[in-house]
């Protein structure tokens, strides 16, 4: 099977390409490198002995996509490409809607022209907003999102759902990721955020390696076990395997398929700080700070639907997530920049 992977040079996309190659699937990568480094191709090659075909270009460029589809025999598309920083999306809504919503529409149009009608889309647990309870099932209401990034994911879900209802021969899979973390256990691939990390795990990793002085823990007055926010952290390789399970089980079946990709376990900010300290062998300094606006108290997935229908379940532990992140961060303190 040949799969076009948009955003395949990014954090989740690169790990998914490695897992795909090891599962006998051929990735063809499209990425404009706005948040990625070309060194990723060498790292994929070193792990798999395969250098994926790579097209540098933008998913909003329809002529470019037409060219890619004309050169490659593509069976399905995984669409990772997009912008993902919540705070930045508030400051730059037009850029976010253009990249994430318009980019997805242009891609779907190019797919239809090429006769490729199997699409797996990177959605997010953010579409559930502040859930009434946990664990969150796929049947929970969506759309009560609090920022342009979240709204862009919700809008794309709506657009793709409408597309499926108008043209029911499509296979459209919406995968709602919870909190992807971790790195390849080889220590050669991982998350490489530009500037100050927005997300917890890369921030902790940069404190642990001495790039930053301390972690600001955003709020210790939530109604949770230790007062800090609780999330469902999932190893990026488990997430990658979830995409392969989706391609293999529903990717060729016409339908609108929706799955949570999470572990079903909640961990607090301080749980993650302590787990990371165990992994790196020293304390991770932190200070307790006020809540971050827009944050919710707790969020974790019901995993039953993915288990039953995709035959997929996350297996990697928090200890593995922190150990793999530490190996990546300590071997590559400046990420992919040499
Ligand atoms: P990432 O930034 O590492 O990867 C995205 C990739 O897309 C980058 O390589 C970037 O260069 C590329 N890209 C961006 N806009 C593009 C465009 N217009 N044309 C071509 N390439 C473009 O992010 P990630 O963490 O790997 O996330 C992948 C997807 O998963 C995103 O859609 C993101 O919104 C979604 N997601 C991420 C998380 C998370 O916490 N990381 C959670 C839920 C959903
Ligand atoms: C996790 C916990 C913070 C940083 C975001 C997006 C979501 C999805 C994943 C893409 C929270 C706390 C964080 C820090 C902290 N992305 N924290 N200090 O907010 O659950 O989800 O990323 O789709 O859409 O909203 O993830 O890693 O930012 O935060 O205390 O420096 O860590 O308050 O409780 P979040 P996160």
């Amino acid at each position: 099977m040949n799969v076009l992977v948009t955003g395949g040079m990014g954090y989740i996309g690169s790990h998914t390409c490695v897992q795909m190659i090891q599962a006998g699937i051929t990735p063809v990568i499209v990425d404009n490198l706005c948040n990625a480094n070309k060194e990723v191709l060498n790292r994929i090659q070193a792990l798999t002995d395969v250098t994926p075909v790579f097209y540098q270009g933008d998913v909003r460029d329809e002529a470019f996509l037409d060219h890619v589809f004309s050169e490659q025999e593509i069976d399905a598309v995984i669409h990772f490409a997009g912008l993902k920083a919540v705070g930045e999306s508030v400051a730059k809504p037009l850029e976010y809607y253009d990249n994430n919503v318009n980019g997805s529409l242009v891609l779907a149009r190019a797919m239809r022209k090429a006769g490729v009608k199997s699409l797996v889309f990177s959605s997010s647990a953010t579409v559930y907003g502040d859930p009434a309870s946990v664990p969150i099932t796929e049947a929970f209401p969506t759309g009560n999102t609090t920022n342009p990034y979240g709204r862009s994911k919700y809008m794309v879900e709506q657009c793709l759902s409408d597309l499926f209802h108008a043209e029911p021969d499509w296979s459209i899979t919406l995968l709602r990721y919870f909190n992807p973390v971790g790195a390849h256990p080889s220590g050669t691939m991982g998350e490489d955020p530009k500037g100050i990390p927005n997300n917890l795990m890369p921030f902790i990793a940069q404190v642990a390696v001495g790039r930053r002085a301390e972690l600001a823990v955003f709020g210790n007055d939530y109604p949770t076990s230790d007062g800090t926010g609780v999330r469902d952290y999932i190893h990026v390789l488990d997430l990658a395997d979830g995409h392969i399970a989706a391609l293999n089980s529903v990717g060729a079946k016409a339908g609108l398929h929706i799955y949570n990709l999470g572990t079903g376990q909640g961990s607090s900010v301080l749980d993650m700080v302590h787990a990371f300290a165990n992994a790196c062998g020293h304390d991770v300094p932190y200070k307790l700070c006020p809540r971050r606006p827009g944050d919710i108290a707790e969020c974790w997935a019901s995993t039953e639907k993915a288990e039953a229908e995709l035959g997929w379940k996350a297996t990697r532990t928090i200890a593995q997530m922190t150990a793999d992140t530490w190996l990546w961060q300590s071997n590559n303190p400046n990420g992919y920049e040499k």
Side-chain angles (χ1 to χ4, degrees):
M1 177 163 40
N2 297 332
V3 177
L4 185 75
V5 184
T6 76
M9 301 290 278
Y11 171 48
I12 304 170
S14 58
H15 289 81
T16 304
C17 286
V18 167
Q19 297 301 92
M20 280 168 60
I21 293 167
Q22 284 167 352
I25 301 172
T26 304
V28 173
I29 299 177
V30 160
D31 199 301
N32 68 0
L33 298 182
C34 72
N35 195 35
N37 191 306
K38 228 177 154 188
E39 171 64 16
V40 165
L41 278 184
N42 299 329
R43 306 289 172 107
I44 295 175
Q45 200 280 333
L47 287 169
T48 63
D49 286 333
V50 171
T51 307
V53 174
F54 168 54
Y55 290 88
Q56 185 172 348
D58 198 298
V59 292
R60 293 165 294 178
D61 181 346
E62 196 163 339
F64 161 71
L65 290 181
D66 291 344
H67 170 71
V68 174
F69 281 113
S70 74
E71 283 198 348
Q72 303 290 330
E73 279 288 320
I74 299 296
D75 301 298
V77 176
I78 306 181
H79 180 36
F80 291 108
L83 303 179
K84 64 165 182 176
V86 169
E88 187 184 60
S89 80
V90 176
K92 298 180 172 174
L94 296 184
E95 283 81 352
Y96 272 68
Y97 291 122
D98 187 36
N99 255 283
N100 296 2
V101 182
N102 184 35
S104 301
L105 300 183
V106 173
L107 174 67
R109 234 175 11 236
M111 288 176 66
R112 181 168 58 187
K113 266 188 280 177
V116 179
K117 295 198 168 184
S118 173
L119 173 61
V120 176
F121 173 63
S122 294
S123 189
S124 168
T126 195
V127 300
Y128 295 116
D130 192 354
S133 60
V134 277
I136 301 171
T137 74
E138 289 83 350
F140 272 36
T142 57
N144 194 15
T145 46
T146 55
N147 55 73
Y149 168 75
R151 275 189 281 279
S152 76
K153 290 289 169 189
Y154 175 68
M155 285 178 190
V156 176
E157 286 203 358
Q158 298 298 107
C159 295
L160 295 179
S161 154
D162 287 343
L163 171 61
F164 169 70
H165 289 113
E167 300 180 26
D169 57 335
W170 280 74
S171 167
I172 292 177
T173 307
L174 310 177
L175 297 180
R176 295 176 179 156
Y177 313 159
F178 280 67
N179 288 61
V181 297
H184 195 274
S186 62
T188 60
M189 280 190 6
E191 188 169 10
D192 182 18
K194 295 202 166 114
I196 302 171
N198 300 297
N199 295 114
L200 178 65
M201 188 71 131
F203 203 106
I204 292 179
Q206 292 192 6
V207 173
V209 83
R211 250 172 95 174
R212 303 193 186 274
E214 61 184 1
L215 171 75
V217 173
F218 296 141
N220 68 335
D221 57 351
Y222 286 107
T224 60
S225 58
D226 63 18
T228 66
V230 169
R231 298 290 184 274
D232 185 339
Y233 297 95
I234 175 169
H235 196 294
V236 67
L237 286 190
D238 277 327
L239 195 69
D241 291 342
H243 290 73
I244 295 169
L247 281 175
N248 287 335
S249 54
V250 294
K253 284 188 201 144
L256 178 66
H257 315 288
I258 305 178
Y259 298 101
N260 288 337
L261 296 185
T263 66
Q265 305 285 324
S267 303
S268 74
V269 175
L270 293 180
D271 289 338
M272 298 307 282
V273 169
H274 298 318
F276 210 97
N278 269 336
C280 71
H282 58 80
D283 281 350
V284 175
Y286 68 86
K287 67 172 176 219
L288 300 173
C289 297
R291 293 181 181 192
R292 183 172 65 178
D295 272 356
I296 58 178
E298 52 185 359
C299 169
W300 71 86
S302 162
T303 58
E304 284 170 23
K305 190 175 178 214
E307 269 180 67
E309 297 180 16
L310 304 181
W312 167 89
K313 187 179 183 334
T315 57
R316 293 163 178 92
T317 61
I318 296 284
Q320 286 168 289
M321 301 177 209
T322 48
D324 292 341
T325 303
W326 174 240
L327 188 63
W328 155 251
Q329 184 69 60
S330 47
N331 285 353
N332 306 268
N334 299 313
Y336 291 112
E337 297 292 336
K338 296 220 174 74

